[in-house]
Amino acid sequence: MLQVNFIRENKEKVSNGLKLRNWENTDIIEKVIELDDHRKKNQFELENVLAESNKISKQIGVLYKQGNTEEANLLKAQTGSLKETTKKLQDSLKETKEQLNQLLYQIPNIPHELVKPGKSDEDNEIIFTVDSIQDLDESALPHWELAKKHDLIDFDLGAKITGAGFPVYTGKGARLQRALINYFLEKNTQAGYEEFFLPYMVNEASGLGTGQLPDKEGQMYEIGNSPDSQQLYVIPTGEVPMMNIFRNVMVNKKDLPIKATTHTPCFRREAGSYGAHVRGLNRLHQFEKVEIVQVTSPENSYQALDEMVKHVEDVIKELGLPYRILRLCGGDIGFTSAMTYDFEVYSAAQKRWLEVSSVSNCLDYQTNRLKLRFKDENGKSVLCHALNGSSLALPRIMAALLENYQTTDGIKIPEVLKPYTGFDKI
């Protein structure tokens, strides 16, 4: 979340940033400042009362030592009243802080100055696109028909077991899925990302820490309480448990950047709709994804963003898929992000672009929630910056591979995947 001092000192910048996101509730800025003024007043009064209480306590101790019991008892009676006042001020301060946090949780990150205005994905800025796209034969099939033809994915069986949006991968389809996961993880670890195997469920504090809560509460699956009575959620992305490794951590600046990767399933309550654009693997409630994150010092986060974009681009290039890179506009950028690049691959059979990765710089928005800091050369605590990216999301990569690599006698396997699949054709 944004820091209150940043909001105070940059009211116009924050207001303009929210408008760039088409976020109308800019009155919240003044509400935040008013509440923070109230918090400061409470804090000042509380500190004065505590100081007075401490002073009287010391006087009482001196009077008892001097044998002046009567005067000591009179002062002691005053401390009872001060304790009552202290309790009221502490309760008021706690309530004010909670109200302030609830307001701050509602405010999204402020976009970078390079982010263009716009309301939807149609307004996103194309940074790069391939020169040419191969045309397929007129008999080319979309991936859901190829999956059925070659017994790779059973959508009906998934619907029987769980419901729509939960596919079952079978035979060479399952092996291709596993091959992609292993390939992505190996590429990431070779680039210096440490691999983690993480829980698929998180508590409320973890959801708040990365900004999924309260913003995306309706998109997350709640699964009841843990044995210690904490509300649990199934993860929407590996970023959530991976970033929470560093919650309430003071890292050493010399260890930055910290680079981490993980493979997890992702679970999302996507809104139901119909049509070819959501058929097959195009939109799912459960899917596999390999994620990368970086924790950096503030001055290096945009350099890290460029590095992560280049890394994802190299992976897609090796797969031999036609792709393009977009910088998202203000209306399409994620809640916690200051700048996001999307990668899309071209689906030759569907004749449309499919998003397969988002790479984002969240600056100190998440780390402020997570209390993830380091000490600078003067010993001052500084918030780290946090970045995340898909490297890569599997469903639409799988869809594009099946469609783009189909031939009249089967589906070819890209060279880089053959060591992982154990076969070169389906």
Side-chain angles (χ1 to χ4, degrees), residues 250 374-382:
M250 180 74 72
F374 66 89
K375 287 196 181 292
D376 66 12
E377 54 277 4
N378 299 314
K380 181 185 175 184
S381 289
V382 179

Side-chain angles (χ1 to χ4, degrees), residues 40-316:
K40 286 180 176 180
K41 183 184 175 187
N42 263 14
Q43 187 74 48
F44 180 74
E45 291 175 359
L46 178 60
E47 287 170 0
N48 283 342
V49 171
L50 288 173
E52 180 67 17
S53 185
N54 287 337
K55 180 182 173 184
I56 291 174
S57 294
K58 288 176 182 177
Q59 288 175 342
I60 291 169
V62 171
L63 289 169
Y64 274 129
K65 282 182 182 178
Q66 293 173 347
N68 195 342
T69 307
E70 187 177 345
E71 192 172 344
N73 287 339
L74 285 171
L75 285 176
K76 200 171 183 181
Q78 287 184 38
T79 61
S81 174
L82 287 172
K83 282 179 182 176
E84 238 178 80
T85 304
T86 298
K87 177 71 167 59
K88 286 179 181 177
L89 286 169
Q90 285 174 333
D91 289 345
S92 176
L93 183 61
K94 182 182 177 184
E95 184 181 347
T96 302
K97 284 181 176 179
E98 287 175 355
Q99 290 175 354
L100 183 58
N101 276 338
Q102 289 307 312
L103 282 183
L104 290 170
Y105 285 148
Q106 296 175 41
I107 305 174
N109 206 349
I110 303 306
H112 187 277
E113 59 189 15
L114 288 178
V115 174
K116 303 292 184 186
K119 294 188 175 182
S120 67
D121 55 2
E122 295 176 356
D123 300 314
N124 291 333
E125 186 181 3
I126 298 174
I127 302 300
F128 170 83
T129 189
V130 289
D131 293 331
S132 61
I133 296 170
Q134 178 185 355
D135 287 327
L136 295 179
D137 186 88
E138 288 183 4
S139 61
L141 301 174
H143 69 271
W144 53 87
E145 293 185 23
L146 289 167
K148 185 173 183 179
K149 177 181 177 180
H150 296 284
D151 296 321
L152 304 175
I153 307 167
D154 194 325
F155 295 101
D156 293 333
L157 182 56
K160 172 188 171 184
I161 295 170
T162 310
F166 294 88
V168 173
Y169 296 83
T170 59
K172 286 188 174 181
R175 288 172 64 183
L176 180 55
Q177 178 94 333
R178 177 159 50 90
L180 283 165
I181 293 165
N182 289 337
Y183 164 65
F184 294 153
L185 284 172
E186 191 163 306
K187 289 293 293 183
N188 296 345
T189 54
Q190 286 173 356
Y193 291 86
E194 182 181 0
E195 184 179 351
F196 288 85
F197 197 93
L198 297 164
Y200 299 160
M201 293 179 280
V202 292
N203 54 31
E204 186 177 21
S206 294
L208 285 168
T210 48
Q212 271 67 33
L213 295 175
D215 177 55
K216 293 182 173 62
E217 187 165 11
Q219 297 176 32
M220 294 173 70
Y221 286 103
E222 299 177 20
I223 55 167
N225 291 346
S226 65
D228 59 353
S229 299
Q230 291 194 74
Q231 173 68 59
L232 295 180
Y233 300 84
V234 191
I235 60 170
T237 168
E239 167 203 346
V240 181
M242 194 150 55
M243 280 306 306
N244 275 278
I245 292 170
F246 309 106
R247 176 155 41 100
N248 296 322
V249 171
M250 180 74 72
V251 298
N252 194 320
K253 188 177 182 183
K254 68 179 179 61
D255 294 330
L256 300 176
I258 297 169
K259 302 165 75 173
T261 186
T262 190
H263 154 250
T264 65
C266 304
F267 304 88
R268 299 183 186 176
R269 300 171 74 120
E270 299 279 8
S273 56
Y274 300 91
H277 67 291
V278 296
R279 285 195 67 180
L281 299 172
N282 287 341
R283 182 171 294 171
L284 301 174
H285 295 297
Q286 177 185 326
F287 61 93
E288 306 297 304
K289 182 152 72 81
V290 176
E291 188 81 359
I292 52 176
V293 303
Q294 284 203 39
V295 176
T296 74
S297 56
E299 65 271 17
N300 292 325
S301 66
Y302 277 103
Q303 179 184 333
L305 179 64
D306 292 342
E307 175 194 307
M308 290 171 73
V309 168
K310 177 68 165 59
H311 174 71
V312 173
E313 183 177 18
D314 288 344
V315 176
I316 295 176

Side-chain angles (χ1 to χ4, degrees), residues 1-18 23 25-37 40 100-110 364-365 368:
M1 60 188 175
L2 298 179
Q3 299 178 70
V4 177
N5 285 344
F6 176 83
I7 294 173
R8 279 183 177 279
E9 295 166 9
N10 301 276
K11 286 201 292 185
E12 187 177 355
K13 180 178 180 179
V14 172
S15 179
N16 289 339
L18 295 179
W23 206 77
N25 189 18
T26 52
D27 292 346
I28 201 169
I29 298 169
E30 292 302 330
K31 291 177 184 175
V32 164
I33 293 171
E34 285 172 18
L35 259 183
D36 192 50
D37 287 339
K40 286 180 176 180
L100 183 58
N101 276 338
Q102 289 307 312
L103 282 183
L104 290 170
Y105 285 148
Q106 296 175 41
I107 305 174
N109 206 349
I110 303 306
D364 60 7
Y365 189 91
N368 187 30

